[in-house]
Amino acid sequence: MNFLRGVMGGPSAGPQPSGADTIQKLCDRVASSTLLDDRRDAVRALKSLSKKYRLEVGIQAMEHLIHVLQTDRSDSEIIGYALDTLYNVISNDLEEEEQEENSAKQVDDLGSQFTEIFIKQQENVTLLLTLVEEFDFHVRWPGVKLLTSLLKQQGPQVQQIILVSPMGVSRLMDLLADSREVIRNDGVLLLQQLTKSNAAIQKIVAFENAFERLLDIITEEGNSDGGIVVEDCLLLLQNLLKNNNSNQNFFKEGSYIQRMKPWFEVGDDNCGWSAQKVTNLHLMLQLVRVLVSPTNPPGATSSCQKAMFHCGLLQQLCTILMATGVPADILTETINTVSEVIRGCQTNQDYFASVNAPSNPPRPAIVVLLMSMVNERQPFVLRCAVLYCFQCFLYKNQKGQGEIVSTLLPSTIDATGNSVSAGQLLCGGLFSTDSLSNWCAAVALAHALQENATLKEQLLRVQLATSIGNPPVSLLQQCTNILSQGDKIDRRGSKVQTRVGLLMLLCTWLSNCSIAVTHFLHNPANVPFLTGQIAENLGEEEQLVQGLCALLLGISIYYNDNSLENYRKEKLKQLIEKRIGRENFIEKLGFISKHELYSRAAQKPQPSFSSPDHMMFDHEFTKLVKELEGVISKAIYKSSEEDKKEEEVKKTLEQHDNIVTHYKKVIREQDQELEELKQRINTLTSQNEQLQATVTQQVSQIQQHKDQYNLLKVQLGKDTQHHNSHGETFQMNGIQTEEVSKLKEELEEWKNKHELLQGQLKEKDSVIEKLNSSQLEMGTTEQSSQTSKFGGLEHNNELQKELEMLRSQIQLQSAEISKLQMENQKLQVMVLTTTADPMLGDSGATAATSSELEGRLEQEIKELKSEVKALSEEKESLKQHLDSSSSTVAILQDEKSKLQREVAESKKEQDDLLVLLADQDQKISALKIKLKDLGVPVEDEDDTESGDQGDEDEDGDEEEQD
């Protein structure tokens, strides 16, 4: 245990062992000890020596430590010591006092070598991924740190191992969900190293819900007010999104852009920002720029720009832009961010044009920014940012270009002078004594004319008042005057910067605009100045000016319409040949594209320069040079005959283009007509389909009506049977108007009979009254009483028979009436006989008999009245039923006529189909005959059917046998 005492600092007897010897003994102890406690103590001792004796521990103990990780997984303490030891050996993050300056390179190489040894066996990295999954803090945290160190040393190799490892990236993503902030924060650092320059891993991390988790962490930490954790999350988001179109699209579609808006909420008091907040906000602005970078695909950039406008992010950025107290570097980055958010997006550009600064009176934000650009006291990077913002505002924005140029035109200039316009600021910067302001104003004005021939012509109308008493001069003339003065004017800054800016403006102005070329050549001093500048042998700085003068002269030749006799194309070429020489001219023209600053400017749209002296070329101007350099070289070498031929060819091409345009117009009109016809065909087709559907629906409705009609016929037949049981004789099937008239006549007869019955009842009432009066006057005898009883009973029986006959059959009422008349006569005879023989009974018996007879007669009369009333009610019900039957008959007659028409149409269609089928059969038979003549075997339908029948018979016989 002596060596352990030496390590732990205890007293020891004898000579002290060296570090290498101690490490060797510890390694032997780790390898040979059977007790876990001994191995744990040895690994702990190696950990304590690993920083001081990094090389020795790495060489001797790495293999044993890896073996411990493989075999002692059950003990988290020894695993933690082993991981810490490996981290100390591999990592280069040593303390400053322990790291000497001259050994920095050696330390880097040492860490890289140990990393290479560790990852040589891919199983080691896989084992480390498994250990990172452990929840134990003493295992997980050192594992995360070790893996991060491996990625720093040998990033691509470790990335590839993790990528091919099953669920390798997904295991590491779980670190972001760890509740322990230390592990979560180190997990963010690990993912930063893992996602560097590896698009495949970036996509996997993004689709493992990384955006959601990282944005949640940023929100929990307080957005821009958070600490370094927010900075780490923002760096990881940049790794995931930069130059990764798939992740950018996923970020936009996941509505994560909307969650960025709260990052840029600033208060009224913006003083005293911490350095961490400035860093966080700077990274947030850079993250926005990553999504709308000009290097991204145009479609992706445009969709992100629209999303930023709709969610209010652009409005929030403009608020920061116009706020007070914002640090300069944040303001500069905000201007650059707004520039790329509005670049090429018409909606965003229109909104930016409407933003006003909170001043009194309010001024447009563009004007305020231009004031900063032409102010030489502003920081250089801020002026560059404003220029970039102005360029992005005018990029593919003809409306904005027109608004800027209109502020220079005489009709729109504010006569009161109370407000400063953008055009006035550009002119003021163009002619100031600060060369950087001259260059920025010239480039800004050139962007206002970019690819817009109309504005180039309108800008020729601009007149400038140079001094009191002198007539105004045009803007074009003033530019050439300043250009010709050269170094005579004392300017602050670069000597050639002003001339380079003016030459770029003139080249942009004159390109593709023959009228501007004519105005330029109309000044007799311009061409001699250009030829003199090109012909001189000047220094290296002046070579750039010579190249731009050659480009301007070449543009004047190439876009010359020969309207000025003294400056026709041929004469200008002869002038170049005499004064300069064609080869010398082409050589000077080539100076532009060979310049180092030209190559830098051509790389990206944003003007980024290390110093104002390097600010020479604009990105859009480099495109113009690349486009015109070749055509100007060809134009210089062309002879007059070639020019004439070219002009003739141009005229021919123009005529041809006119013809082509005419035919294109005709074709376009024909296409429109075709489209209209197609639309009409589609409309008619849809109408036809609708009509067919309507016909089908009507056919189904007709079938339904037919079914309903048949049901009605059956129901009416049943009603007819029921009415026949009460004596009605009309039939509903095929009923005609004659039958209805017969029913009406029968009803009239019933009415007449009813009136006759009422008259007869009245007569009976009168007879009964007469009987009553006669019975009171006649004598009373026993014989007469018996005779009266007999007569009364016989009369009662007759009345009952009459009632039964009325109930059974109303048609026999006439006979009953005659019988009643006969009975009445009999009664009169009986009354006469009774009065003639008063001696046949006593008066008391006669009175009793007459009263009884009177009661019975009254009862019978009442019954007759009730029966007559019932008959009248039945008559009324029959009348109502007859009316309803007549209306039903009318409806059925209409339905019958409709059905007859439909049947006729269907018969006609069937006849047509039969004719078509007959024609088809004739064609088929003719084709069969032809096929038979050609030797092709053809089976007749009769043969086929007979064969099928035979097969069926045979099958039937087999089934019977079974």
Side-chain angles (χ1 to χ4, degrees):
M1 299 293 292
N2 290 332
F3 67 92
L4 285 176
R5 292 192 187 97
V7 171
M8 303 304 294
S12 60
Q16 295 290 334
S18 65
D21 294 338
T22 304
I23 292 168
Q24 181 62 44
K25 291 178 181 179
L26 290 172
C27 292
D28 293 340
R29 188 69 176 273
V30 172
S32 60
S33 296
T34 58
L35 294 176
L36 180 60
D37 292 340
D38 292 344
R39 294 198 302 274
R40 187 188 303 118
D41 293 339
V43 174
R44 186 189 300 115
L46 286 172
K47 174 188 173 184
S48 63
L49 294 171
S50 59
K51 289 186 178 180
K52 186 175 181 180
Y53 299 100
R54 179 183 179 188
L55 178 62
E56 291 80 1
V57 173
I59 293 173
Q60 299 182 34
M62 181 174 287
E63 184 178 352
H64 300 294
L65 294 172
I66 293 172
H67 183 70
V68 168
L69 296 178
Q70 294 172 346
T71 57
D72 293 330
R73 291 277 301 277
S74 59
D75 186 61
S76 60
E77 191 173 355
I78 192 173
I79 295 294
Y81 292 149
L83 290 171
D84 284 333
T85 306
L86 288 171
Y87 172 74
N88 292 336
V89 169
I90 291 173
S91 175
N92 292 326
D93 299 334
L94 300 179
E95 296 181 2
E96 293 182 0
E97 60 269 14
E98 296 179 1
Q99 182 176 347
E100 299 178 1
E101 294 181 1
N102 55 3
S103 64
K105 185 176 181 182
Q106 181 183 356
V107 169
D108 291 341
D109 292 341
L110 195 60
S112 179
Q113 290 172 4
F114 282 137
T115 302
E116 191 172 352
I117 294 171
F118 184 84
I119 68 173
K120 195 170 186 179
Q121 298 293 330
Q122 295 187 7
E123 295 81 4
N124 296 338
V125 179
T126 306
L127 175 63
L128 190 55
L129 290 173
T130 307
L131 292 173
V132 169
E133 283 187 291
E134 296 289 339
F135 186 74
D136 194 323
F137 180 82
H138 297 289
V139 176
R140 196 171 205 183
W141 187 39
V144 171
K145 292 195 295 181
L146 177 57
L147 192 55
T148 305
S149 182
L150 292 174
L151 286 164
K152 286 181 179 178
Q153 301 296 336
Q154 298 287 341
Q157 292 86 342
V158 180
Q159 285 174 343
Q160 192 61 32
I161 296 171
I162 295 174
L163 190 59
V164 298
S165 176
M167 300 293 292
V169 179
S170 300
R171 295 176 187 176
L172 300 178
M173 284 299 300
D174 294 337
L175 298 172
L176 295 180
D178 200 305
S179 58
R180 295 160 292 193
E181 291 189 3
V182 175
I183 295 178
R184 184 199 67 184
N185 298 343
D186 283 347
V188 173
L189 296 174
L190 170 61
L191 291 173
Q192 278 185 25
Q193 299 297 326
L194 181 65
T195 55
K196 277 186 178 179
S197 305
N198 194 310
I201 293 179
Q202 290 168 2
K203 291 179 183 178
I204 296 172
V205 171
F207 282 96
E208 287 285 345
N209 207 21
F211 293 139
E212 184 76 27
R213 295 182 183 181
L214 292 172
L215 291 173
D216 288 341
I217 294 172
I218 293 172
T219 304
E220 291 171 4
E221 294 293 326
N223 294 330
S224 60
D225 293 324
I228 195 170
V229 179
V230 174
E231 179 183 348
D232 294 335
C233 291
L234 291 169
L235 289 172
L236 177 54
L237 285 172
Q238 284 191 20
N239 285 352
L240 295 175
L241 292 172
K242 196 169 186 178
N243 299 324
N244 193 318
N245 300 329
S246 175
N247 283 1
Q248 289 175 6
N249 190 41
F250 181 68
F251 191 85
K252 177 185 69 68
E253 291 180 353
S255 300
Y256 296 119
I257 292 178
Q258 287 80 341
R259 296 187 61 178
M260 299 169 70
K261 182 185 174 184
W263 296 354
F264 305 103
E265 292 178 355
V266 296
D268 296 332
D269 186 13
N270 297 313
C271 299
W273 284 14
S274 65
Q276 187 61 55
K277 181 173 182 178
V278 172
T279 303
N280 291 344
L281 204 53
H282 198 273
L283 290 172
M284 289 172 178
L285 292 167
Q286 286 182 350
L287 190 62
V288 175
R289 293 184 65 185
V290 165
L291 295 172
V292 293
S293 173
T295 58
N296 294 341
T301 301
S302 177
S303 59
C304 289
Q305 287 172 334
K306 292 176 182 176
M308 289 176 183
F309 174 75
H310 290 303
C311 75
L313 181 59
L314 174 60
Q315 293 84 331
Q316 202 69 44
L317 292 173
C318 290
T319 302
I320 298 177
L321 200 66
M322 295 292 106
T324 57
V326 179
D329 52 348
I330 294 297
L331 182 61
T332 302
E333 190 64 24
T334 304
I335 294 172
N336 289 327
T337 305
V338 171
S339 304
E340 295 184 351
V341 172
I342 67 173
R343 187 177 189 269
C345 182
Q346 187 66 51
T347 305
N348 295 3
Q349 289 168 340
D350 292 342
Y351 170 77
F352 184 70
S354 65
V355 175
N356 289 324
S359 60
N360 191 14
R363 289 177 177 174
I366 298 174
V367 173
V368 175
L369 291 175
L370 288 177
M371 291 171 70
S372 301
M373 186 185 74
V374 298
N375 186 354
E376 58 184 300
R377 289 176 293 181
Q378 293 293 339
F380 172 65
V381 289
L382 179 63
R383 299 174 74 180
C384 291
V386 173
L387 176 61
Y388 183 47
C389 184
F390 192 72
Q391 292 174 352
C392 292
F393 170 68
L394 297 177
Y395 182 71
K396 293 183 178 179
N397 183 12
Q398 293 190 353
K399 179 181 176 183
Q401 289 176 327
E403 291 174 353
I404 296 298
V405 172
S406 65
T407 59
L408 288 166
L409 299 178
S411 59
T412 57
I413 294 176
D414 188 5
T416 60
N418 293 330
S419 62
V420 180
S421 65
Q424 291 172 342
L425 288 171
L426 291 177
C427 286
L430 193 63
F431 307 127
S432 72
T433 56
D434 177 36
S435 61
L436 185 58
S437 298
N438 300 153
W439 190 90
C440 291
V443 170
L445 197 54
H447 275 264
L449 304 175
Q450 199 79 37
E451 297 178 358
N452 198 325
T454 304
L455 294 181
K456 291 177 182 178
E457 296 177 7
Q458 290 185 4
L459 201 63
L460 296 171
R461 296 164 46 201
V462 177
Q463 300 290 322
L464 301 175
T466 55
S467 60
I468 299 174
N470 293 328
V473 296
S474 67
L475 177 62
L476 182 65
Q477 182 63 42
Q478 185 65 15
C479 290
T480 56
N481 291 341
I482 296 174
L483 187 63
S484 61
Q485 291 175 2
D487 296 333
K488 296 178 182 179
I489 301 176
D490 186 18
R491 299 180 186 277
R492 292 179 295 276
S494 174
K495 296 181 179 179
V496 298
Q497 196 170 39
T498 300
R499 286 180 288 166
V500 169
L502 289 171
L503 285 168
M504 286 196 297
L505 172 61
L506 291 173
C507 289
T508 305
W509 194 347
L510 269 59
S511 64
N512 203 20
C513 184
S514 300
I515 299 175
V517 171
T518 304
H519 279 71
F520 178 76
L521 295 176
H522 195 269
N523 185 352
N526 289 337
V527 174
F529 167 74
L530 292 178
T531 54
Q533 287 285 320
I534 299 169
E536 289 182 8
N537 292 321
L538 301 174
E540 185 177 352
E541 290 185 356
E542 297 292 333
Q543 287 181 351
L544 187 57
V545 176
Q546 287 182 322
L548 291 171
C549 289
L551 179 65
L552 182 59
L553 186 57
I555 290 172
S556 302
I557 295 172
Y558 184 73
Y559 291 105
N560 192 345
D561 58 358
N562 294 327
S563 57
L564 295 175
E565 184 63 30
N566 295 331
Y567 295 104
R568 298 174 63 86
K569 284 184 179 181
E570 186 59 32
K571 290 186 177 181
L572 289 175
K573 289 179 186 179
Q574 292 174 1
L575 185 63
I576 291 174
E577 180 67 26
K578 291 179 181 178
R579 298 278 182 90
I580 305 169
R582 292 180 181 178
E583 290 78 7
N584 192 22
F585 179 86
I586 300 300
E587 182 182 359
K588 297 292 177 68
L589 182 63
F591 284 162
I592 302 174
S593 57
K594 293 177 183 178
H595 203 280
E596 180 185 0
L597 297 177
Y598 174 89
S599 303
R600 290 183 186 176
Q603 292 176 0
K604 57 182 180 179
Q606 182 182 0
S608 57
F609 307 99
S610 57
S611 67
D613 293 338
H614 294 162
M615 207 170 187
M616 290 294 175
F617 286 106
D618 173 57
H619 177 75
E620 293 296 327
F621 181 73
T622 60
K623 295 181 181 179
L624 182 66
V625 173
K626 191 180 296 184
E627 177 185 348
L628 294 177
E629 188 176 4
V631 296
I632 289 174
S633 300
K634 292 180 182 178
I636 295 298
Y637 281 102
K638 285 181 181 177
S639 62
S640 59
E641 294 179 356
E642 291 177 346
D643 285 338
K644 290 180 180 178
K645 289 181 180 179
E646 186 177 354
E647 290 179 359
E648 292 177 357
V649 170
K650 283 184 179 179
K651 291 181 181 178
T652 307
L653 287 174
E654 287 178 358
Q655 293 176 357
H656 181 265
D657 289 339
N658 294 332
I659 295 171
V660 170
T661 305
H662 173 69
Y663 281 117
K664 281 182 179 179
K665 185 178 179 182
V666 172
I667 292 170
R668 195 177 296 111
E669 292 175 354
Q670 291 177 351
D671 287 339
Q672 291 178 356
E673 292 177 359
L674 282 174
E675 288 295 329
E676 292 176 357
L677 291 173
K678 286 180 181 178
Q679 291 177 359
R680 287 184 62 187
I681 289 170
N682 293 331
T683 305
L684 293 173
T685 305
S686 61
Q687 289 179 357
N688 186 22
E689 291 175 354
Q690 292 176 359
L691 291 173
Q692 288 180 352
T694 306
V695 168
T696 306
Q697 186 178 2
Q698 288 179 352
V699 169
S700 62
Q701 289 178 356
I702 289 168
Q703 187 63 36
Q704 291 177 1
H705 289 319
K706 286 181 180 179
D707 297 339
Q708 292 176 2
Y709 175 67
N710 293 330
L711 289 173
L712 286 172
K713 286 199 293 186
V714 174
Q715 290 177 0
L716 290 173
K718 291 180 181 179
D719 292 341
T720 304
Q721 293 177 1
H722 176 70
H723 294 151
N724 284 339
S725 65
H726 289 82
E728 296 178 9
T729 58
F730 51 87
Q731 299 177 354
M732 295 302 294
N733 221 348
I735 190 165
Q736 301 295 331
T737 54
E738 296 177 356
E739 295 176 354
V740 175
S741 61
K742 288 180 181 179
L743 288 173
K744 289 182 179 179
E745 291 175 359
E746 289 178 0
L747 185 62
E748 292 294 331
E749 290 178 1
W750 283 103
K751 288 181 179 179
N752 295 330
K753 290 179 181 180
H754 180 66
E755 291 175 356
L756 290 173
L757 285 172
Q758 286 182 347
Q760 292 172 5
L761 286 173
K762 289 179 181 179
E763 290 177 0
K764 288 179 181 180
D765 291 335
S766 63
V767 170
I768 290 167
E769 291 177 357
K770 289 178 181 179
L771 286 173
N772 289 329
S773 61
S774 62
Q775 286 175 358
L776 291 173
E777 295 175 355
M778 70 181 180
T780 57
T781 60
E782 188 176 356
Q783 185 178 1
S784 64
S785 63
Q786 292 176 355
T787 305
S788 63
K789 284 181 181 179
F790 175 77
L793 289 172
E794 187 176 0
H795 182 262
N796 190 15
N797 291 331
E798 290 293 336
L799 287 175
Q800 288 180 356
K801 289 179 181 180
E802 288 178 8
L803 289 172
E804 290 174 356
M805 291 173 69
L806 284 169
R807 290 174 183 175
S808 62
Q809 194 173 7
I810 300 175
Q811 293 179 354
L812 300 176
Q813 287 181 355
S814 60
E816 289 178 356
I817 292 170
S818 63
K819 288 180 181 180
L820 286 171
Q821 290 175 351
M822 293 173 63
E823 191 68 28
N824 191 14
Q825 290 176 1
K826 289 180 180 180
L827 288 171
Q828 288 178 358
V829 172
M830 289 173 66
V831 170
L832 290 173
T833 55
T834 303
T835 54
D837 194 7
M839 300 296 294
L840 292 178
D842 56 351
S843 61
T846 304
T849 304
S850 62
S851 62
E852 184 179 359
L853 181 60
E854 183 179 356
R856 290 179 180 177
L857 285 173
E858 287 176 357
Q859 185 177 358
E860 292 295 333
I861 289 168
K862 288 179 180 179
E863 290 177 357
L864 285 171
K865 286 182 178 180
S866 62
E867 187 68 24
V868 169
K869 184 178 181 181
L871 288 172
S872 63
E873 290 176 354
E874 186 174 2
K875 182 190 70 173
E876 290 295 327
S877 64
L878 288 172
K879 182 178 179 183
Q880 292 176 0
H881 188 72
L882 181 62
D883 294 336
S884 62
S885 299
S886 60
S887 62
T888 305
V889 167
I891 294 170
L892 291 174
Q893 283 177 350
D894 294 337
E895 289 291 332
K896 179 181 176 182
S897 60
K898 290 181 181 178
L899 290 172
Q900 285 176 351
R901 289 195 298 270
E902 292 171 3
V903 167
E905 291 176 357
S906 62
K907 283 182 179 180
K908 184 179 179 182
E909 291 176 357
Q910 289 176 357
D911 293 338
D912 295 339
L913 287 173
L914 289 172
V915 172
L916 289 173
L917 287 172
D919 294 340
Q920 190 69 21
D921 290 337
Q922 289 177 1
K923 290 180 181 178
I924 290 170
S925 59
L927 290 171
K928 284 181 178 179
I929 292 169
K930 289 182 179 179
L931 289 172
K932 287 179 180 179
D933 294 339
L934 293 171
V936 178
V938 179
E939 293 183 359
D940 293 333
E941 292 181 357
D942 298 336
D943 298 340
T944 306
E945 291 175 357
S946 63
D948 294 341
Q949 186 65 34
D951 295 338
E952 292 176 0
D953 295 339
E954 290 176 2
D955 295 339
D957 295 339
E958 291 176 0
E959 290 176 359
E960 289 176 0
Q961 290 175 5
D962 295 338

